[in-house]
Amino acid sequence: MVRLKNRYLLVNVLYPELEDRKGKTKVPDIVEFNQPTTDAFTTGALLKGLKAEIANIFGDYGSGAVSESLTVKYLSPATSTFILRVSRAHYRLAWAALSLMTSVPVKDGKNCVFRVVRVSGTIRKAEEEAIRRARELILKARREIGEKSDSTLDDIFGGAGAETTREKGVLVVDRSDSEEEEDSDGDG
């Protein structure tokens, strides 16, 4: 048996046109740029709009090439993120169509940009990247408004209340390295 090979495209919907903020509270620009999408933005509406764009650009060939394999595996209007599954041979057609779409495919959709963030062979890696980017977005928004996080690690290592002048570093340990050291110590 031959396995069908797919690609998973992690896509962010960005809104580059910042609205007039008179009378509104101060919202960081990064939050405005990555604002939630309307609830009318469903998987059906996304697939319909994407297939129409592929047909418009690539004609019958493009429509036929991606029609069987194009599915939405994850859609979050709150984070304006979705994951598409497309056959490996034709994922570039979907990517090109997303790059050329200029508005959310719903009635009276806002102008937006669809940015393909990652192309992956497994949905797991695409999900991990989505989670990493969401955390990064939260940290950037906090930095922009000057908010300090109150986490457990800050309490343990002297967070907001303690005055420290040294930089905080992150130690990364590769599990395979530590296993090799244990094996070599036992032979020794």
Side-chain angles (χ1 to χ4, degrees):
M1 298 282 304
V2 175
R3 191 180 74 170
L4 297 175
K5 297 183 180 172
N6 297 306
R7 289 290 178 252
Y8 296 89
L9 280 67
L10 174 63
V11 183
N12 284 346
V13 183
L14 304 175
Y15 299 93
E17 297 176 359
L18 298 178
E19 296 176 0
D20 188 23
R21 293 191 234 166
K22 291 182 181 175
K24 292 185 180 179
T25 60
K26 177 64 177 145
V27 177
D29 288 338
I30 194 155
V31 174
E32 283 275 331
F33 199 64
N34 293 287
Q35 62 184 287
T37 307
T38 179
D39 289 333
F41 186 57
T42 61
T43 58
L46 175 62
L47 283 175
K48 185 178 177 182
L50 185 56
K51 287 180 180 181
E53 190 69 24
I54 290 171
N56 186 28
I57 297 168
F58 299 106
D60 290 339
Y61 168 74
S63 295
V66 299
S67 66
E68 293 298 317
S69 65
L70 188 65
T71 57
V72 177
K73 297 307 272 183
Y74 171 77
L75 172 67
S76 173
T79 59
S80 297
T81 303
F82 60 91
I83 298 175
L84 282 177
R85 185 185 74 187
V86 186
S87 67
R88 184 174 72 171
H90 305 292
Y91 78 93
R92 289 182 184 94
L93 298 177
W95 190 344
L98 284 168
S99 297
L100 295 174
M101 289 177 72
T102 58
S103 64
V104 178
V106 295
K107 185 177 181 181
D108 301 325
K110 294 171 80 173
N111 289 341
C112 67
V113 174
F114 291 90
R115 183 175 73 173
V116 177
V117 176
R118 181 175 176 115
V119 178
S120 177
T122 62
I123 194 167
R124 180 177 165 222
K125 290 294 183 181
E127 289 171 343
E128 287 173 0
E129 181 69 14
I131 292 168
R132 188 189 68 77
R133 287 187 165 273
R135 286 181 180 156
E136 186 177 288
L137 180 67
I138 291 168
L139 291 175
K140 284 181 183 177
R142 283 184 178 166
R143 267 188 248 124
E144 196 167 317
I145 61 172
E147 180 180 305
K148 302 285 185 186
S149 70
D150 295 326
S151 69
T152 306
L153 290 177
D154 287 342
D155 293 339
I156 293 171
F157 296 114
E163 294 181 19
T164 57
T165 57
R166 64 180 196 152
E167 295 181 16
K168 293 182 181 177
V170 177
L171 176 64
V172 178
V173 177
D174 188 5
R175 185 173 184 190
S176 61
D177 291 342
S178 62
E179 291 173 356
E180 290 174 5
E181 290 175 11
E182 291 174 4
D183 292 340
S184 64
D185 291 342
D187 294 337

